[in-house]
């Protein structure tokens, strides 16, 4: 069976502006994929094409094997779309709001009642049934949006910044609901700026920058730095002058001094294999190392490293530039 979402060479230009600039990715059935990017990176534009709300300039998108441009109605029956803003419906209660959408989706009679009851129970909306939908808190509003997106029991859920503006408790509740949906086998494609939370709930993370995909992988490998992005970060502490560390690192082709800390500093080392050789060289050169600790990067660091990497013009790596004369670290 092909993947739930297949995006092939997708472009979306607005005049000269390349909002989405030739992206490719796939999301497997029943997985949660986080879509990460700075403001204006192209997330909403991509999600709108996936949700049949906009046409690509070029390229194809398939949801559960169905082409979004050729068969939009079929795709709409397969997806639940949660936009980043809530349309205001004055004088409509939560129950009336869901009933309105259930009717619009073609449900009638007992089936409609059952669908509404199911989503209200799932999103904890029953106590809010008679509340006006435009007078809810942000967290309640997001639960209502989620309920609405689930009325037709879609296989794929596309959520644009669902956690934006939520307090920590509401974010935890939302995360819990998303995990339950994934366990039920739904595929979830979710954009967010809150990277630490995406890391916890997503099976994979897709990074977009200036309309281009710059990384697709799992959160753990990104944090560990085992995917070659940004190297390994170490906290190194010395006896004696902390400046000695910065001076020594400046002469080593495999390490980069990031910032000073009390007794030393934070250092980026090219790879795990190189780290032990760097440590051996430091000791050999007389540095009194009292701590050499590999840090786990958080997702924010990984994201910033990623952006730096793609925004820096290619140049000869420090190691390669000196390898011919040095061969090994020191
Ligand atoms: P944010 O996190 O701020 O929501 P985003 O990653 O979702 O950002 P998009 O909304 O996809 O970014 O926008 C990508 C680029 O396309 C931006 O430069 C935006 O101004 C532009 N853009 C989006 N929609 C249109 C439009 N309808 N007409 C012209 N430009 C647009």
């Amino acid at each position: 069976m092909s993947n739930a979402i297949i995006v092939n060479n997708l472009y979306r230009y607005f005049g000269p502006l390349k909002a989405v600039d030739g992206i490719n990715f796939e999301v497997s059935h029943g997985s949660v994929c986080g879509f990460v990017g700075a403001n204006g990176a192209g997330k909403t534009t991509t999600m709108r094409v996936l949700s049949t709300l906009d046409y690509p300039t070029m390229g194809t998108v398939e949801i559960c094997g169905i082409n979004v441009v050729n068969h939009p109605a079929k795709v709409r029956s397969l997806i639940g779309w949660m936009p980043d803003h809530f349309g205001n419906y004055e004088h409509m209660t939560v129950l009336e709001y869901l009933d309105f959408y259930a009717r619009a989706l073609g449900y009638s009679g007992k089936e409609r009642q059952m669908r509404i009851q199911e989503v209200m129970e799932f999103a904890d909306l029953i106590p809010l049934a008679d509340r006006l939908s435009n007078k809810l808190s942000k967290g309640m509003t997001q639960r209502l949006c989620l309920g609405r997106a689930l009325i037709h029991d879609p296989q794929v859920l596309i959520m644009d910044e669902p956690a934006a503006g939520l307090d920590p408790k509401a974010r935890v509740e939302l995360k819990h609901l998303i995990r339950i949906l994934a366990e039920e086998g739904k595929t979830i494609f979710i954009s967010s700026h809150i990277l630490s939370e995406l890391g916890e709930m997503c099976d994979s993370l897709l990074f977009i920058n200036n309309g281009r995909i710059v990384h697709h992988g799992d959160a753990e490998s990104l944090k560990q730095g085992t995917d070659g992005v940004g190297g390994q970060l170490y906290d190194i502490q010395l006896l004696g002058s902390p400046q000695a560390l910065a001076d020594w690192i400046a002469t080593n082709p495999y390490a980069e001094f990031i910032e000073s800390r009390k007794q030393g500093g934070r250092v980026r080392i090219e790879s795990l294999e190189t780290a032990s050789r760097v440590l051996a060289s430091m000791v050999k050169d007389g540095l009194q190392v009292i701590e050499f600790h590999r840090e786990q990067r958080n997702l924010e660091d990984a994201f910033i490293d990623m952006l730096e990497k793609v925004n820096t013009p290619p140049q000869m790596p420090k190691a390669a530039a000196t390898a011919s004369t040095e061969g090994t670290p020191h």
Side-chain angles (χ1 to χ4, degrees), residues 14 17 19 37-46 84 160-161 193:
F14 297 106
L17 186 107
N39 292 124
K43 301 182 297 295
T44 301
T45 305
T46 304
D84 61 354
D160 195 2
E161 291 281 346
H193 290 135

Side-chain angles (χ1 to χ4, degrees), residues 238-250:
L238 305 178
L239 277 184
S241 158
Q243 185 56 34
L245 178 67
D247 294 344
W248 190 88
I249 294 292

Side-chain angles (χ1 to χ4, degrees), residues 15-26:
L17 186 107
K18 299 172 176 177
V20 174
D21 198 18
I23 64 173
N24 295 281
F25 67 88
E26 300 195 5

Side-chain angles (χ1 to χ4, degrees), residues 155-173:
Q155 292 183 33
V156 178
L157 198 55
I158 300 172
M159 311 172 89
D160 195 2
E161 291 281 346
L166 296 187
D167 67 27
K169 182 168 170 281
R171 290 212 298 267
V172 169
E173 282 166 7

Side-chain angles (χ1 to χ4, degrees), residues 24-240:
N24 295 281
F25 67 88
E26 300 195 5
V27 181
S28 58
H29 285 275
S31 70
V32 183
C33 176
F35 197 29
V36 186
N39 292 124
K43 301 182 297 295
T44 301
T45 305
T46 304
M47 291 180 136
R48 283 174 52 81
V49 174
L50 264 59
S51 306
T52 76
L53 297 170
D54 193 9
Y55 290 111
T57 305
M58 212 162 68
T60 58
V61 174
E62 285 180 11
I63 304 285
C64 302
I66 315 286
N67 185 294
V68 296
V69 173
N70 298 341
H71 305 285
K74 192 134 199 234
V75 168
R76 280 175 210 143
S77 71
L78 295 168
I79 59 164
W81 161 243
M82 214 176 135
D84 61 354
H85 60 277
F86 178 69
N88 223 344
Y89 289 79
E90 284 182 36
H91 312 303
M92 210 184 238
T93 65
V94 165
L95 182 58
E96 287 165 347
Y97 178 87
L98 291 173
D99 188 64
F100 170 80
Y101 273 94
R103 285 169 195 267
L105 285 161
Y107 289 101
S108 60
K110 238 190 155 74
E111 194 185 12
R112 188 172 76 237
Q113 280 176 15
M114 275 167 52
R115 288 307 310 147
I116 293 172
Q117 181 68 20
E118 193 178 314
V119 298
M120 285 183 83
E121 275 173 22
F122 176 75
D124 194 18
L125 293 167
I126 289 173
L128 307 175
D130 299 324
R131 295 272 292 271
L132 285 175
S133 60
N134 63 334
K135 301 276 187 240
L136 301 174
S137 72
K138 181 78 185 167
M140 294 168 183
T141 302
Q142 290 304 73
R143 296 211 308 274
L144 178 56
C145 281
L146 180 60
R148 183 195 69 193
L150 292 172
I151 284 182
H152 56 304
D153 195 21
Q155 292 183 33
V156 178
L157 198 55
I158 300 172
M159 311 172 89
D160 195 2
E161 291 281 346
L166 296 187
D167 67 27
K169 182 168 170 281
R171 290 212 298 267
V172 169
E173 282 166 7
L174 183 73
K175 206 162 56 179
H176 177 65
L177 294 179
I178 288 170
R179 277 307 338 166
I180 294 176
L181 290 168
E183 277 158 25
E184 284 175 1
K186 296 198 190 304
T187 305
I188 297 170
F189 190 60
I190 177 171
S191 75
S192 176
H193 290 135
I194 308 169
L195 296 184
S196 45
E197 288 200 354
L198 272 188
E200 283 170 32
M201 78 176 129
C202 294
D203 302 301
S204 67
L205 291 173
L206 191 64
F207 286 65
I208 185 168
N209 181 56
N210 289 333
R212 295 190 173 175
I213 300 299
V214 291
H215 178 78
H216 194 178
D218 67 54
E220 217 34 53
S221 69
L222 262 179
K223 283 196 280 189
Q224 298 284 356
T226 50
D227 57 358
V229 178
Q232 306 286 324
L233 291 176
Y234 286 82
D235 178 39
I236 305 177
Q237 307 283 320
L238 305 178
L239 277 184

